[in-house]
Amino acid sequence: MAATFRRRLQRGAASTAVAALVLAALTASQAPGATGAAAAKRRPAPPPADVPIDGGSAYYTDLPPLKSPVPPHGSPHTGKDPATGRGPAEAGLPTTVLAAYRKAATEIDASDPGCRLPWQLLAGIGKVESGQARGGAVDAEGTTLRPILGPQLNGHGFARITDTDAGRYDGDLTHDRAVGPMQFIPSTWSNGGPDGTGWGADGNGDGKKDPHNVFDAALAAGRYLCAGDRDLTAQDDLDRAILGYNHSDEYLRTVLSWYAFYRNGTHEVPDGKGVLPVHRDAGRSGDDNGGRSEGKRHHGRGPGAEPGKSPRPGGSGKPGKPGKPGKGQQHHPGKPGHPDGSRPTPGGTQPPTQKPTPSPEPAHPTTLVRVGDKDLTATAGTEFATPPQVRAQDAQGKAVAGVPVRFTLPPTTGARFPGDATTVTVTTDKDGLATAPTLRAGDRTGDFRIRVSTVRHTAPAVEVGATVKAKPAPKADKLARTSDKELTATAGKAFAEDAVEIKATYQGELAAGVAVTATMVTNDPQRPVENDKGPYFKDAEATGHDGDKPVRTLTGLTTDANGLLKLPKIYTDAHSGTFLLRLTTADGAVLTVKLKVAAPAGS
């Protein structure tokens, strides 16, 4: 009994010191380059906002499993993961969720290396905020299969925030709710950022900022944690960052517990197969609306605890046997004298512990490689003969199958995938190949680049060049009149309306869209040039402007869909005689038409 009482005292004393101990251990282990001089150069991180990122919503209080050389009998949270046979079940992170955390940390490391954001910190927050998106209940793009909504922020146990998004994100038209895998309140996502535009981010490159998408939410959370030039290897910065998410000491200790646990090793589990938490913080209320907890709320009591009774040490209501932890018992890392969370045995001796071995990293593509070294080409309005294609491979050059790959067209092109889509996502086959669907060129000509990137991984994007060429000019190798009627008029008068109609053909087929030039020429078979007298077209009909100025050469005339062309009205001056109208195409087709002009009667 004395030993049990002593352990209770140790547990109570540790509650005030656990954060400092864990932070000290983590800082020492992950900050080999964080010297005192470097810390002095950074600017102080800002204090937590008045309204936390998640609005002070309820969170899951489940703690990591106790590290023990012998897993407690029947415990669902210790021993090997039955789905993978690797590590504790609680160390299994859903594939897409894990990829989102890693991708976010990689992007932030590239843009803000001084922050030193570990992806395990995002995983710790994701665990307490949404149970890793309900155990990985997301689609291939990383969007939750159904919304994860926190309780209504109506001031009863939480912050009071009246509706700011017209229900866009949370479906609530009276108050806001925390939304998505990382539980952002809509006002913070949309306009609560440092520049007034919000913390919302596009983590998967689809052009949208969606708090219900784990890639977007993880990147936004990472940027918030790094705000104010924070260095997360510094204790005060890490403390401020987490408290800014939810200003609660218990929240801080819970996140740090999972952070330390995940740093000891994780492994992938299929989406939807992650361990779901069941405990929520006590003293808070509100419906979850199908969001964070799928079962009965326990408000800090262990499973099966009776209302009004506090659980005994160990969390199950039953004392543990000497030398063994109680059933379902959990731990806080950082107990006095044992930063790894192990417990001393009566008499002060420490049993040998099994050092968790980090699971090997799953195979991820480290490179996307273009297939084919030539850019794609197509004529405007036609399909590209070869679709864009890339190969995903690992560091050893081996193909990686089952990788979602996104093909994105730039806004400057008229090219489109089926369904008029500008982005498509396909999965690599057994040979690591991702082949986009048929790409059709639009009417806009020129060069453009197709961006190809992985959805779940951090492989650098590649680009595939493409060119849309103009349609070749229609050809005609023969011009002919559609009538053999003689063309006559009296000097000073006009020929009949639409007197001249021609037909263009190419290799015996009607030639549509052929450009034709019409010129009134001199009667010189050796060198015909534009005539300065005789029949003419009017300036208004030739150019569309007012005026009667004679025009004896017309360009820009084209045959219609049937290969036909009717010339504008032809006028005559005071000269009589036989004149020539010469019609030509760029391909060398020529037709000469005689125009006879008679002198006026009595002249």
Side-chain angles (χ1 to χ4, degrees), residues 118-499:
W119 66 260
Q120 292 91 341
L121 179 58
L122 294 174
I125 292 175
K127 179 69 175 181
V128 302
E129 291 290 347
S130 68
Q132 311 300 13
R134 290 201 202 96
V138 297
D139 62 19
E141 301 290 326
T143 303
T144 56
L145 300 181
R146 54 193 180 93
I148 299 176
L149 304 178
Q152 192 179 65
L153 298 176
N154 54 17
H156 300 302
F158 311 102
R160 174 179 168 80
I161 306 176
T162 56
D163 178 54
T164 63
D165 65 336
R168 175 185 177 187
Y169 297 121
D170 57 12
D172 194 322
L173 296 177
T174 60
H175 293 84
D176 276 348
R177 296 169 181 259
V179 297
M182 302 302 276
Q183 290 289 279
F184 275 83
I185 52 177
S187 56
T188 302
W189 183 267
S190 300
N191 53 33
D195 56 359
T197 59
W199 290 104
D202 178 13
N204 62 353
D206 64 355
K208 297 181 292 185
K209 298 178 180 179
D210 182 4
H212 298 286
N213 182 280
V214 68
F215 289 94
D216 295 358
L219 181 58
R223 288 177 177 172
Y224 169 76
L225 294 170
C226 289
D229 285 345
R230 290 189 182 113
D231 178 355
L232 297 181
T233 62
Q235 177 174 330
D236 60 341
D237 277 3
L238 181 60
D239 188 48
R240 286 171 182 264
I242 298 174
L243 288 176
Y245 219 104
N246 190 313
H247 205 160
S248 158
D249 289 340
E250 183 62 29
Y251 180 88
L252 172 66
R253 289 192 289 269
T254 306
V255 170
L256 289 174
S257 296
W258 284 106
Y259 175 29
F261 177 72
Y262 289 138
R263 283 174 58 83
N264 280 329
T266 62
H267 59 272
E268 283 192 19
V269 296
D271 288 341
K273 300 297 183 181
V275 174
L276 295 175
V278 294
H279 300 84
R280 287 159 55 97
D281 57 321
R284 297 183 185 271
S285 61
D287 76 68
D288 222 35
N289 197 22
R292 313 247 286 264
S293 177
E294 301 300 326
K296 179 179 178 181
R297 299 188 187 94
H298 299 278
H299 296 290
R301 294 189 298 272
E306 297 179 16
K309 294 185 179 181
S310 300
R312 298 178 182 179
S316 66
K318 296 180 181 181
K321 295 180 180 180
K324 291 186 179 181
K327 211 174 188 180
Q329 193 172 25
Q330 298 172 323
H331 81 293
H332 268 298
K335 297 295 182 185
H338 301 283
D340 67 351
S342 57
R343 295 178 54 191
T345 58
T349 60
Q350 175 69 27
T353 59
Q354 180 179 340
K355 181 66 174 177
T357 302
S359 301
E361 292 293 319
H364 288 301
T366 56
T367 308
L368 288 179
V369 180
R370 281 186 54 180
V371 175
D373 56 358
K374 294 183 179 180
D375 287 350
L376 311 178
T377 59
T379 301
T382 66
E383 295 179 351
F384 284 85
T386 303
Q389 188 180 57
V390 297
R391 181 175 185 266
Q393 62 186 38
D394 60 18
Q396 288 72 43
K398 296 180 179 179
V400 181
V403 178
V405 175
R406 176 178 289 115
F407 295 82
T408 304
L409 301 174
T412 56
T413 181
R416 292 292 184 269
F417 292 113
D420 204 33
T422 57
T423 62
V424 293
T425 300
V426 298
T427 303
T428 56
D429 61 18
K430 61 182 180 62
D431 298 316
L433 295 176
T435 305
T438 302
L439 179 62
R440 184 174 183 82
D443 294 330
R444 190 177 302 175
T445 60
D447 300 332
F448 64 92
R449 312 292 291 179
I450 305 168
R451 187 175 186 272
V452 190
S453 59
T454 56
V455 175
R456 297 180 180 174
H457 307 286
T458 56
V462 298
E463 291 186 341
V464 177
T467 300
V468 177
K469 298 180 179 180
K471 294 180 181 179
K475 296 181 178 181
D477 55 14
K478 184 178 181 180
L479 296 176
R481 284 187 60 195
T482 57
S483 171
D484 57 1
K485 183 179 179 180
E486 188 178 60
L487 301 173
T488 61
T490 301
K493 305 291 183 179
F495 285 84
E497 194 82 25
D498 299 332

Side-chain angles (χ1 to χ4, degrees), residues 540-557:
E541 296 174 348
T543 64
H545 299 292
D546 293 337
D548 292 331
K549 180 181 178 181
V551 173
R552 291 187 166 86
T553 297
L554 290 183
T555 59
L557 304 171

Side-chain angles (χ1 to χ4, degrees), residues 16-57:
T16 60
V18 62
L21 289 171
V22 174
L23 287 169
L26 295 176
T27 302
S29 66
Q30 81 174 46
T35 63
K41 292 180 180 180
R42 62 175 177 79
R43 297 199 301 272
D50 292 338
V51 179
I53 286 290
D54 68 0
S57 294

